[in-house]
Amino acid sequence: DNWPANYCDFTFDISGNSNCIPCPNITTTVTASPSSICQGGSSNLSVSPSGGVNPYTYSWSPASGLSSTTSSNPTASPVGTTTYQVIVTDKNGCSDTATVIVTLSDLSALINASPVSICSGDSTDLSATATGGTAPYTYSWSPNTEISATNITNPVAWPSANTTYTGTVWDNIGCSIVGSVTIYVTPSLTSDFTIVPSPVCACDTVTITYTGT
């Protein structure tokens, strides 16, 4: 005979009649710690069944990124946000299903400057534009010289020579991303005039030489 899904075991009495024994109400709690992870991070999954008969067996899916598909507490290292499902089965074949989501941070940042080419003595506006991840964001810039601040999204920089500024963005769960931008500096022009002879008397013929860089 085909028994309903919530019936797991049966016996036969002396007359040959079957007596179906209903499955107990199994309750499954599944958690992920942490539930949100950074790129390359991992989460510890944990399942806690109750109401059935020990021992329990476990079957997790999808298998990708899991340290084990049959453990009660596998480690998940997904390459994208993933919903994991576990089927818990007790000694008598009664089962329950539960799911948990592991969210992978999609933090990204654009590091830029305007303008990227300046004359010596001028300044440029740096910017770090963060998206994804978990707000709020924090910022760090290096090097920490010739810059108005190192912990804001849009500092002003006035490098005296070609300089690559590196911006690091962290989100609220500690995920980070790094980018950089190079500022090119044109040296200031210098010039000098040479007059021969010197000093000059009235009606003298002179030669004026200009040099500049």
Side-chain angles (χ1 to χ4, degrees):
D1 294 329
N2 295 321
W3 301 98
N6 63 332
Y7 282 76
C8 60
D9 199 5
F10 59 88
T11 61
F12 290 92
D13 61 25
I14 193 169
S15 63
N17 296 320
S18 59
N19 298 306
C20 186
I21 302 173
C23 279
N25 183 23
I26 299 177
T27 300
T28 302
T29 301
V30 59
T31 59
S33 180
S35 59
S36 296
I37 61 174
C38 305
Q39 295 284 343
S42 61
S43 176
N44 297 316
L45 307 185
S46 179
V47 57
S48 301
S50 62
V53 179
N54 275 310
Y56 297 96
T57 60
Y58 309 93
S59 178
W60 292 88
S61 63
S64 177
L66 286 180
S67 61
S68 170
T69 59
T70 58
S71 171
S72 63
N73 55 349
T75 299
S77 305
V79 295
T81 297
T82 302
T83 299
Y84 288 101
Q85 174 182 279
V86 60
I87 300 174
V88 179
T89 305
D90 76 352
K91 178 182 178 180
N92 292 327
C94 300
S95 63
D96 187 36
T97 301
T99 59
V100 66
I101 298 175
V102 177
T103 302
L104 187 69
S105 173
D106 58 349
L107 176 65
S108 64
L110 177 63
I111 306 299
N112 209 342
S114 181
V116 294
S117 296
I118 62 174
C119 294
S120 180
D122 290 344
S123 63
T124 183
D125 296 318
L126 305 181
S127 64
T129 305
T131 57
T134 305
Y137 309 106
T138 56
Y139 306 88
S140 176
W141 292 91
S142 64
N144 61 1
T145 56
E146 299 176 315
I147 190 171
S148 61
T150 60
N151 61 348
I152 61 176
T153 181
N154 55 348
V156 176
W158 53 92
S160 54
N162 293 349
T163 302
T164 297
Y165 287 95
T166 299
T168 304
V169 180
W170 286 271
D171 73 358
N172 199 42
I173 65 172
C175 299
S176 64
I177 192 166
V178 179
S180 62
V181 61
T182 300
I183 308 302
Y184 298 93
V185 181
T186 301
S188 298
L189 295 177
T190 60
S191 61
D192 191 21
F193 289 92
T194 302
I195 301 176
V196 178
S198 180
V200 179
C201 297
C203 300
D204 282 351
T205 299
V206 299
T207 300
I208 302 175
T209 302
Y210 166 81
T211 58
T213 58

